Amino acid sequence: MSVEETSPDRDRDHGGPVPVVAARRPDPDRRLSRSWFSVGFRAGLGALAAYWLVLAVQHVESTLMLVPLSLVIAISADPVVGWLTGRGLRRSWAVAAVIVGLFLLLGGPDDTAGVRGSAGAGGRARG
């Protein structure tokens, strides 16, 4: 059997016989010498990709946490906004009122900034 026998199938474009080429088997010694380099190279690329992925997640971690938090706040504030719009307030003013209300409820004004005689963070009170 020759390496370049012709196939019974005909090439549709040219009308001639299609050559059949036998597959060559790789040399086992050559494949073994390449495999350690290939394994090490791929392991190094995998480690670099994992390190890059960890850095990318750490970089956007704060943003990824803000998205669900803002979603929870928006869903929680929607009934209050709906109640205020049902009372005749425009939706934009109702949203603004809810935002200001949340700010005052959660954050509140900073009481210690303008207080006279405040010791601050471990300092002596003047007075």
Side-chain angles (χ1 to χ4, degrees), residues 24-84:
R24 291 186 185 172
R25 293 184 183 204
D27 184 19
D29 295 332
R30 186 173 178 183
R31 204 175 92 207
L32 183 63
S33 65
R34 280 187 174 183
S35 69
W36 291 108
F37 176 77
S38 177
V39 167
F41 185 72
R42 289 180 183 170
L45 282 180
L48 283 176
Y51 180 69
W52 175 79
L53 186 63
V54 166
L55 288 180
V57 168
Q58 286 177 348
H59 184 67
V60 297
E61 185 177 9
S62 61
T63 304
L64 290 176
M65 290 306 295
L66 286 177
V67 170
L69 180 64
S70 62
L71 186 64
V72 166
I73 291 172
I75 291 172
S76 301
D78 187 54
V80 178
V81 171
W83 182 77
L84 288 173

Side-chain angles (χ1 to χ4, degrees), residues 76-101:
S76 301
D78 187 54
V80 178
V81 171
W83 182 77
L84 288 173
T85 54
R87 300 273 183 207
L89 199 60
R90 285 184 18 203
R91 185 162 181 86
S92 58
W93 287 108
V95 169
V98 169
I99 289 173
V100 169

Side-chain angles (χ1 to χ4, degrees), residues 110 112-113 115 117-126:
D110 190 12
T112 61
V115 177
S118 174
R124 288 182 49 197
R126 296 183 187 163

Side-chain angles (χ1 to χ4, degrees), residues 4-25:
E4 239 183 72
E5 290 184 19
T6 58
S7 171
D9 298 331
R10 298 279 177 179
D11 188 9
R12 293 185 183 146
D13 295 336
H14 302 295
V18 177
V20 176
V21 179
R24 291 186 185 172
R25 293 184 183 204

